[in-house]
Amino acid sequence: RLSDKGESVEAAISCFADGDSLQLLRLMPTSIIFGFWDSRGEGSQPKHARILLSRIDAFDVVPCRRHALYSGPYSADEFAVAVLDKPAAEKAEADEMAKQGFTNAPSEGLGGVLVKGKIERLALISLTDIARLNCRRDDEIDEPLTNAARRYVFALAALAEAYPRSTGSHRLRSGCELVSQSPLVVDLRGGDSSYQDAAALRKLYLDRDKLVAVAREAKGTVGIPDKAGPFSVTSESLRGKLGATNASTPAPATSSPQESQGAKTTRRASRRPR
């Protein structure tokens, strides 16, 4: 939003909120899968719920406390003598020393859990939300584009959900790596799950190579580019968002268009991607 593509971002989100997914798919399709909230936008600031939801639950757990001690370069009294030039530190001073890392600082917090029961991972892909996606042309729903968009989003969501399994484990953090001990169970829930395409859908869901092929074909139909960037941000554009000017930088001379353009080029040389 702060880059040179800010207007495109705003237009894509606005169209999505009005029922047209095409621009957002072409700009940032994963936002449709993982959800977003346009909390800095003007107007209604639309929210879009996740199409892919994943959670891990542990049952019958025992919380463990973690005790740690940071060892600083001084004791409180040493710091008082060497730095504050006084024989002892007052409590407020000692607390500030520990906060800044000059002296020892004990800490206590949650140090993990012991699981006596089971650990389950539940992932949900909302086919209902996928079925609500539409692509429009001339204010009319374009069925070929819409069907391709739905196939693309489903394939990407299924590939993202299965990614940890394809790598062999769910590495949540250092020292916490979960490895599957039971086969995957795929259920179709809601409505009548006995419809004739249920078996074919399960088969597709478990076929990673087929999902990649479906996504690539649909991507071409929808016209999703390989890269959406670059997104350029400059100090000038950020100042413009604030409605401010850089008082410390004198305004460039404007005696000729060439000199003015040269000043702009110099300032923009410090741009960085956002």
Side-chain angles (χ1 to χ4, degrees), residues 156-171:
L156 250 61
L159 289 167
E161 190 283 317
Y163 179 75
R165 291 196 303 279
S166 70
T167 61
S169 68
H170 296 76
R171 189 179 186 280

Side-chain angles (χ1 to χ4, degrees), residues 11-274:
I13 293 176
S14 177
C15 287
F16 183 82
D18 290 337
D20 185 1
S21 308
L22 186 58
Q23 290 191 46
L24 195 59
L25 276 169
R26 289 174 173 172
L27 185 65
M28 39 189 179
T30 52
S31 64
I32 296 178
I33 296 172
F34 299 113
F36 68 85
W37 174 27
D38 187 21
S39 61
R40 295 295 186 270
E42 298 179 359
S44 60
Q45 300 181 346
K47 290 183 179 181
H48 170 59
R50 290 173 175 263
I51 284 178
L52 169 60
L53 173 68
S54 179
R55 57 182 287 173
I56 296 176
D57 296 310
F59 300 86
D60 193 8
V61 301
V62 178
C64 301
R65 305 302 297 175
R66 172 183 174 274
H67 301 273
L69 176 64
Y70 167 78
S71 297
Y74 298 96
S75 70
D77 289 341
E78 288 172 339
F79 188 92
V81 172
V83 179
L84 302 181
D85 195 22
K86 56 193 302 186
E90 299 178 2
K91 184 179 184 307
E93 293 172 330
D95 291 343
E96 185 62 24
M97 293 176 202
K99 180 180 178 181
Q100 296 294 338
F102 299 137
T103 60
N104 297 345
S107 62
E108 180 181 2
L110 181 64
V113 296
L114 295 176
V115 182
K116 295 183 176 181
K118 59 183 179 179
I119 302 175
E120 287 185 343
R121 177 176 181 269
L122 172 66
L124 171 68
I125 295 179
S126 175
L127 301 181
T128 302
D129 285 338
I130 293 177
R132 294 173 60 188
L133 299 177
N134 293 300
C135 295
R136 298 178 178 272
R137 278 185 178 175
D138 300 326
D139 294 329
E140 298 290 337
I141 294 177
D142 187 306
E143 290 191 7
L145 278 178
T146 293
N147 290 333
R150 294 173 181 176
R151 289 195 301 270
Y152 181 74
V153 170
F154 171 79
L156 250 61
L159 289 167
E161 190 283 317
Y163 179 75
R165 291 196 303 279
S166 70
T167 61
S169 68
H170 296 76
R171 189 179 186 280
L172 304 183
R173 53 167 292 179
S174 177
C176 185
E177 188 160 349
L178 304 181
V179 179
S180 177
Q181 294 183 331
S182 58
L184 174 68
V185 177
V186 180
D187 288 333
L188 300 176
R189 299 184 179 183
D192 183 6
S193 59
S194 62
Y195 57 92
Q196 60 181 1
D197 293 328
L201 183 58
R202 285 193 182 93
K203 183 178 179 180
L204 171 62
Y205 184 76
L206 298 173
D207 190 337
R208 191 170 183 85
D209 291 337
K210 182 65 174 177
L211 287 170
V212 170
V214 169
R216 284 176 174 167
E217 180 182 0
K219 174 175 173 282
T221 302
V222 177
I224 300 173
D226 291 333
K227 294 182 179 180
F231 293 78
S232 299
V233 179
T234 67
S235 57
E236 284 182 320
S237 67
L238 295 180
R239 285 198 300 270
K241 292 288 184 181
L242 294 173
T245 59
N246 190 347
S248 62
T249 303
T254 57
S255 58
S256 69
Q258 290 80 7
E259 290 181 7
S260 179
Q261 181 61 38
K264 289 184 178 179
T265 302
T266 301
R267 290 198 298 274
R268 288 176 181 169
S270 62
R271 68 175 61 180
R272 62 182 64 179
R274 185 80 169 188

